[in-house]
Amino acid sequence: MNHPSIRTVLLSPLLALALAGCGKQSDGGTAASNGSQGLKQIMQARGLSEADVEAALLTYRPTGKKDDYVIFASGGQSGQVLVIGVPSMRLLKVVAVFTPEPWQGYGYGGLGNKVLEGGNQHPGTQLTWADVHHPNLSEANGEYDGRFLFVNDKANARVAVVDLHDFTTKQIVPNPLVMSDHGGAFVTPNTEYVVETSQYPAPLGREYAPLSEYKEKYRGLAMFWKFDKEKGRILPEASFGVELPPYTQDLADAGKGPSDGYVFINSFNTEMATGGILEGNPPIESGASQNDMDFLHVIHWKKAEELVKAGRAKTIKGVKVLTMDVTGPEKVLALIPEPKSPHGVDVTPDGEDIVVGGKLDTHTTVYSFQKIKALMEAGTAEGKDGYGLPILPFQDSIRGQTEIGLGPLHTVYDGKGFAYTSVFIESVVAKWSLKDLKVVETLPVHYNIGHILAAEGDTVSPDGNYVVAMNKMSIDRFANIGPLYPQNFQLIGIDGPQMKLLADMPIGIGEPHYAQMIKADKLKPLKVYPMGTNPYTNQKDEFAVTPGKERIERKGKDVHVYMTAIRSHFTPDRIEVEEGDRVHLHLTSAEQAEDQVHGFTIDMYNVNLSLEPGKHENVTFVADKPGAFPMYCTEFCSALHLEMMGYLMVKPKGAK
């Protein structure tokens, strides 16, 4: 639902009283005027301006009042995703994705272990961190549908699927061809594909080749992961890749409306610099900044899909890949010069334009899709790169440029014809007109803004109520907490004639990157699981336990424990095994009341589960430590919470 304009609530009774209180108080004042005098005193004592009070009113949510929007934000090096309410800017949840998370029991013996293991890249190596960059919501006809969230891990070239019916990560898919990714995990308008592009080039298939063979053997890749909405899973066997030159690919965006069927990817380091400082070469940062322009990559993915089905792909490490000797001549892949060191590439809501910001340029460049399409179809090019790919003429591909400031990065939209660009070096948000390509306003933010997001701002119909500046620095903003400062999300109101800074939110986790904001009423999560549900299959688990049928069964050295949890006890609450036994816990929460969560842990055994109402978990471990080990509920669930416990008794070998 769209809000009423911010302006319509500015002079709410409370603010009106506050403003009235700034005038002279007459004798015999009413209760209202006495209240306004109190507000005046509060404002004076705290040094608050009218603008501060206005911002507070616009973002305040009393207890029980829910937010209108929800942000899904990268958790950076935490490997997780932050869920934030808007306009309150309250942290609602941290979704465990690539790394273990104890509160959710993710990675501590339960069913989530299998999801994490699915993302392991090398046998015997357990990845314990990730570099989350770009959460993206699933779409239907270019609109967020609130069903799934896709997340990439730059450090380990993985993509995860989060099911928003319970905010749980259900799948992690490693990319067997590349070493890192960045342009992910963007989706096509109906979530046919989740797009993941490599960042730092390497030999495809993770083979070794010396850097002296960089031009010949190093490559980039655009991976099109096929997604099945009914199953809620990526289908690797139906996915394909498009080989790219060893220019360092960056962000990506999918076309929509008239540009549906195309994907646009930025790149930098068209110089193909590889460093070698000790050998007397320039560092990559300067070697990669020599050319006046880098290359925007344009992929006609629907045509690529047809070529794969026609058998034109090459198989590398089990993945079908269209190589450049196919995609160039078949007009699937083309390059266009773009301002140097670009970062954001953002398709406009109508799908007609693609906006690019170059970090080492002062413009946003607006490319015309219709011009690009015509040039590709006609085979018009100003030349070819070293890999035979056509280079479309720059001036013939663009609609124009906007002088935006120093360090433009990303652009989002409000649905009213305006674009909002993060300007890193100047630390401002620049609002500009898509129609006449002129800046109409800038707003200082604190500081070094990187990514930016808007309410439904990546869809075909942005809401135009809020923008969030995702700032990399927060010097002088918050209490001193040591040399590692929080980053700062700043909420900006954009539904009035001027942008207005409303709230700060320190982010004390990882290094957040990208985020998206969805209407809260599009999300339809469960409140309780049907009893015995395996959350990773969304089906009743084969080992689900019905109250009254709890039991312990021994099969040789395997001990199966069928257990339930309900306020305020576990059944059974005594488990007796012998040292060396393999213990299989099958644990069902018998609760069906909303918000009645239990936890389960066994001291010293690194087992920790979250048992939401109706949820089922399976845990297997070897009882290799003899002793009497308390097991207890970790979630304060009732007045008798501390009594919700029992014992795992592990009899030493040889004991009678």
Side-chain angles (χ1 to χ4, degrees), residues 14 19 21 24 31 37 68 89 101 106 227 251 266 275 363 386 411 465 488 492 495 503 523 574 583 605 608:
L14 182 56
L19 297 180
K24 182 178 179 180
Q37 181 65 18
D68 301 303
M89 300 303 284
E101 203 291 310
Y106 185 69
F227 187 68
L251 283 173
N266 274 333
H363 301 90
T411 300
N465 289 317
N488 189 11
I492 300 167
D495 65 346
L523 300 170
R574 292 181 183 179
V583 180
Y605 268 89
N608 184 49

Side-chain angles (χ1 to χ4, degrees), residues 568-640:
S568 298
H569 58 272
F570 299 107
T571 304
D573 55 4
R574 292 181 183 179
I575 303 171
E576 296 186 2
V577 299
E578 297 177 357
E579 183 181 0
D581 282 348
R582 184 177 296 272
V583 180
H584 307 271
L585 289 178
H586 310 298
L587 182 50
T588 299
S589 170
E591 301 283 2
Q592 286 290 278
E594 183 180 344
D595 204 19
Q596 286 297 327
V597 178
H598 296 294
F600 177 83
T601 188
I602 303 174
D603 290 0
M604 309 296 177
Y605 268 89
N606 203 39
V607 171
N608 184 49
L609 304 175
S610 175
L611 296 171
E612 296 94 295
K615 183 179 180 182
H616 180 86
E617 285 276 13
N618 297 314
V619 178
T620 295
F621 63 93
V622 175
D624 54 3
K625 294 178 282 292
F629 299 94
M631 53 190 191
Y632 65 92
C633 176
T634 57
E635 194 83 17
F636 206 102
C637 55
S638 71
L640 297 177

Side-chain angles (χ1 to χ4, degrees), residues 176-205:
L177 300 182
V178 301
M179 293 291 193
S180 66
D181 63 30
H182 194 250
F186 297 88
V187 301
T188 53
N190 283 294
T191 322
E192 302 97 333
Y193 290 96
V194 181
V195 184
E196 175 199 26
T197 63
S198 61
Q199 180 139 83
Y200 304 118
L204 294 185

Side-chain angles (χ1 to χ4, degrees), residues 350-370:
D350 61 9
E352 292 288 357
D353 294 324
I354 305 98
V355 177
V356 170
K359 298 192 299 291
L360 300 182
D361 191 70
T362 60
H363 301 90
T364 49
T365 301
V366 182
Y367 291 81
S368 165
F369 171 70
Q370 297 300 341

Side-chain angles (χ1 to χ4, degrees), residues 54-266:
E54 176 188 331
L57 288 172
L58 294 172
T59 57
Y60 177 63
R61 283 294 183 270
T63 181
K65 298 290 186 180
K66 299 178 182 178
D67 284 295
D68 301 303
Y69 293 92
V70 172
I71 291 173
F72 292 93
S74 148
Q77 294 95 326
S78 72
Q80 300 164 345
V81 168
L82 309 179
V83 184
I84 301 165
V86 173
S88 72
M89 300 303 284
R90 297 178 291 202
L91 180 63
L92 304 177
K93 189 170 187 177
V94 177
V95 179
V97 182
F98 291 112
T99 55
E101 203 291 310
W103 179 51
Q104 292 158 71
Y106 185 69
Y108 294 92
L111 295 164
N113 283 30
K114 291 185 179 180
V115 178
L116 284 168
E117 290 166 4
N120 288 342
Q121 300 283 24
H122 302 285
T125 301
Q126 177 68 49
L127 293 170
T128 57
W129 87 287
D131 191 6
V132 170
H133 273 240
H134 304 115
N136 268 249
L137 291 154
S138 57
E139 297 181 8
N141 299 316
E143 298 276 13
Y144 300 150
D145 62 15
R147 295 183 61 187
F148 301 97
L149 184 76
F150 307 98
V151 190
N152 76 305
D153 170 14
K154 173 178 172 176
N156 303 294
R158 300 180 290 176
V159 171
V161 179
V162 179
D163 190 336
L164 296 180
H165 100 290
D166 59 358
F167 284 54
T168 300
T169 301
K170 301 300 174 71
Q171 183 184 29
I172 300 175
V173 179
N175 189 322
L177 300 182
V178 301
M179 293 291 193
S180 66
D181 63 30
H182 194 250
F186 297 88
V187 301
T188 53
N190 283 294
T191 322
E192 302 97 333
Y193 290 96
V194 181
V195 184
E196 175 199 26
T197 63
S198 61
Q199 180 139 83
Y200 304 118
L204 294 185
R206 301 181 176 175
E207 304 294 340
Y208 172 80
L211 286 169
S212 59
E213 298 177 1
Y214 186 90
K215 294 181 181 179
E216 295 78 23
K217 295 187 177 180
Y218 282 63
R219 294 291 183 267
L221 183 83
M223 190 72 194
F224 291 83
W225 293 109
K226 185 66 175 177
F227 187 68
D228 187 324
K229 272 193 175 182
E230 294 307 310
K231 295 180 179 179
R233 298 292 186 272
I234 286 171
L235 307 178
E237 68 280 4
S239 305
F240 67 91
V242 174
E243 181 190 36
L244 303 175
Y247 314 138
T248 301
Q249 283 76 35
D250 201 54
L251 283 173
D253 200 6
K256 53 180 73 93
S259 53
D260 184 13
Y262 288 76
V263 160
F264 309 92
I265 308 167
N266 274 333

